Amino acid sequence: MQLFDVAIIGGGPAGSSCAAFCATAGLQPLVLDREKFPREKVCGDCLNPSCWPVLERLELADRVRDLPHSKLCSVEFISINGRGVTVDLPSGADGEISVKRSLFDDLLLRRAGELGANIREQTTVTGLSRNDHWNIETSSGDFFQARILIGADGRNSTVAHLCNLLPRPARERVALQAHIPLPRDFGNRIVLQFLHEGYSGQASVNETQLNLCLVGTPPTISKLRRWAEHQFQLSADQGWRTITPLTRSPVPSAHENLFFVGDAARVVEPFTGEGIYYALQSGELAANAIAKILRGDDRNSVLREFGRAYAQMYRGRLWINRLARAAVLRPQLGSLFVHAARIRPEIMKFLTGKIVEKL
């Protein structure tokens, strides 16, 4: 049985980023994912400008720009009563874009494979044990071994569950997402709309499709779905993807020979445009730490350095996610912000700037 330097459970942006950077450091990474790529993922489909430096280091920026996408020019906030305020987004090659996760994630995973990662799709992890190395059991009956294990398998992480580290979820919100025909004259913009029942996020992802997201509580989500069917002339049998929970306490990102990256470590709002950046960057940070450990650097020093860098990645930004959560739970609060911004436009310009600023 081959012994891999690192086994990464989950092939999304966090796992693929980690695998790619591990491979460029001369390590032998293994990526296991239960899905067959390309696959869709519930997300706002937005890449904020902070992603571009990581994509440049992966030599992927131009290939991402070659994917069908929309270059987003503005974001419109609409209150419950229908009044809105529009904020322009930064222009230029490194601005905000939207691209379907099926395309983006597949490109990242293939890049990791190009760099030397061993990719195993449609492989579900069912058991973990540890002696000198991590022993990984899968539903297909295949077994793998690795020196270091990475949980990059999302907000309901199987790795965290099998290691008894998965926090109890907060189930106060439900999200639905679909790609629907792009309404005429919608343009290259984002719409964040507050409704009595919750929240709707909309963004064009290419010349023909709109990413439509709905977020509400279990009692209101069916009303939100009916609103969307009327608003966008959708049939009652429109297919929706769903995720829950939208909130979960963070899992410590580093343990002995075990790391968590992306949403497996800290769940953030999937529609603010920040989650993909956190995934890419945390994967790179973990890969750098693993390379140092495996070449013999002092483990404790490396883990302290990783912890500081990991915390710095989020510092000064998580309040945006807390504000987004509060606005969805209390749409009237979000509407108050919109009304205030009609008088003081710098309010929404500041909030938008915090999300789309390039780090």
Side-chain angles (χ1 to χ4, degrees):
M1 183 183 301
Q2 182 179 356
L3 175 64
F4 291 91
D5 291 317
V6 54
I8 301 164
I9 314 305
S16 293
S17 168
C18 187
F21 284 113
C22 281
T24 58
L27 305 180
Q28 291 182 305
L30 167 71
V31 180
L32 305 177
D33 196 287
R34 65 184 179 184
E35 302 287 349
K36 172 67 176 175
F37 284 59
R39 54 91 179 99
E40 292 293 352
K41 188 76 172 179
V42 176
C43 180
D45 286 343
C46 293
L47 297 185
N48 71 25
S50 298
C51 296
W52 293 114
V54 187
L55 294 172
E56 291 282 1
R57 291 192 288 274
L58 290 171
E59 299 181 357
L60 276 180
D62 289 339
R63 290 165 67 176
V64 170
R65 293 187 183 99
D66 287 341
L67 296 173
H69 70 276
S70 286
K71 188 173 182 180
L72 300 171
C73 301
S74 64
V75 54
E76 183 178 5
F77 300 88
I78 302 176
S79 68
I80 289 175
N81 66 9
R83 295 179 179 176
V85 60
T86 298
V87 177
D88 291 333
L89 295 174
S91 58
D94 292 342
E96 182 105 355
I97 72 166
S98 57
V99 58
K100 294 178 71 173
R101 286 287 301 276
S102 57
L103 302 176
F104 180 76
D105 289 11
D106 187 58
L107 179 63
L108 282 172
L109 185 63
R110 302 307 160 207
R111 178 58 176 158
E114 290 172 3
L115 292 169
N118 190 313
I119 310 295
R120 301 292 183 94
E121 300 171 66
Q122 296 179 295
T123 303
T124 300
V125 173
T126 56
L128 294 171
S129 62
R130 187 178 163 204
N131 38 45
D132 293 336
H133 309 296
W134 283 98
N135 303 296
I136 305 163
E137 182 179 352
T138 69
S139 58
S140 62
D142 293 325
F143 292 85
F144 303 94
Q145 286 189 322
R147 294 181 173 88
I148 292 179
L149 181 68
I150 300 286
D153 48 347
R155 62 192 60 227
N156 296 309
S157 170
T158 295
V159 174
H161 174 71
L162 292 174
C163 294
N164 296 315
L165 295 170
L166 190 66
R168 184 177 300 233
R171 300 182 62 86
E172 83 277 8
R173 289 172 300 154
V174 179
L176 300 178
Q177 185 256 351
H179 291 110
I180 66 171
L182 183 68
R184 181 177 298 177
D185 300 325
F186 188 90
N188 294 336
R189 61 178 177 140
I190 302 171
V191 172
L192 303 178
Q193 186 167 359
F194 296 101
L195 303 159
H196 286 290
E197 300 82 8
Y199 155 93
S200 171
Q202 305 143 36
S204 58
V205 292
N206 52 47
E207 294 181 352
T208 62
Q209 290 181 298
L210 180 79
N211 180 313
L212 174 60
C213 297
L214 307 173
V215 183
T217 61
T220 66
I221 196 68
S222 60
K223 292 181 181 179
L224 275 172
R225 188 170 61 245
R226 288 195 294 272
W227 170 86
E229 290 168 0
H230 174 75
Q231 182 75 10
F232 296 98
Q233 300 178 357
L234 305 177
S235 65
D237 60 356
Q238 167 69 44
W240 296 90
R241 291 174 286 274
T242 185
I243 55 170
T244 188
L246 293 186
T247 302
R248 189 190 288 281
S249 298
V251 175
S253 55
H255 307 255
E256 186 178 356
N257 291 336
L258 172 63
F259 291 77
F260 290 95
V261 294
D263 273 357
R266 182 187 289 274
V267 173
V268 298
E269 294 293 328
F271 310 122
T272 61
E274 295 185 296
I276 295 177
Y277 162 69
Y278 294 138
L280 294 171
Q281 185 64 70
S282 64
E284 182 178 14
L285 291 175
N288 291 340
I290 291 165
K292 291 177 182 178
I293 290 171
L294 292 181
R295 75 184 182 201
D297 289 14
D298 180 72
R299 178 184 299 271
N300 291 331
S301 296
V302 171
L303 292 180
R304 284 195 297 269
E305 180 184 352
F306 170 78
R308 286 192 295 267
Y310 190 90
Q312 182 62 40
M313 175 178 64
Y314 289 101
R315 188 163 293 128
R317 295 172 69 91
L318 286 177
W319 63 273
I320 291 283
N321 287 278
R322 288 191 286 268
L323 183 61
R325 174 174 174 264
V328 171
L329 288 173
R330 299 175 180 83
Q332 295 80 4
L333 175 63
S335 290
L336 285 176
F337 273 101
V338 176
H339 290 309
R342 289 173 60 85
I343 302 171
R344 301 286 299 273
E346 62 269 22
I347 294 174
M348 285 304 185
K349 289 181 181 178
F350 172 76
L351 291 174
T352 303
K354 290 299 292 183
I355 293 176
V356 302
E357 65 184 352
K358 188 172 180 179
L359 299 181

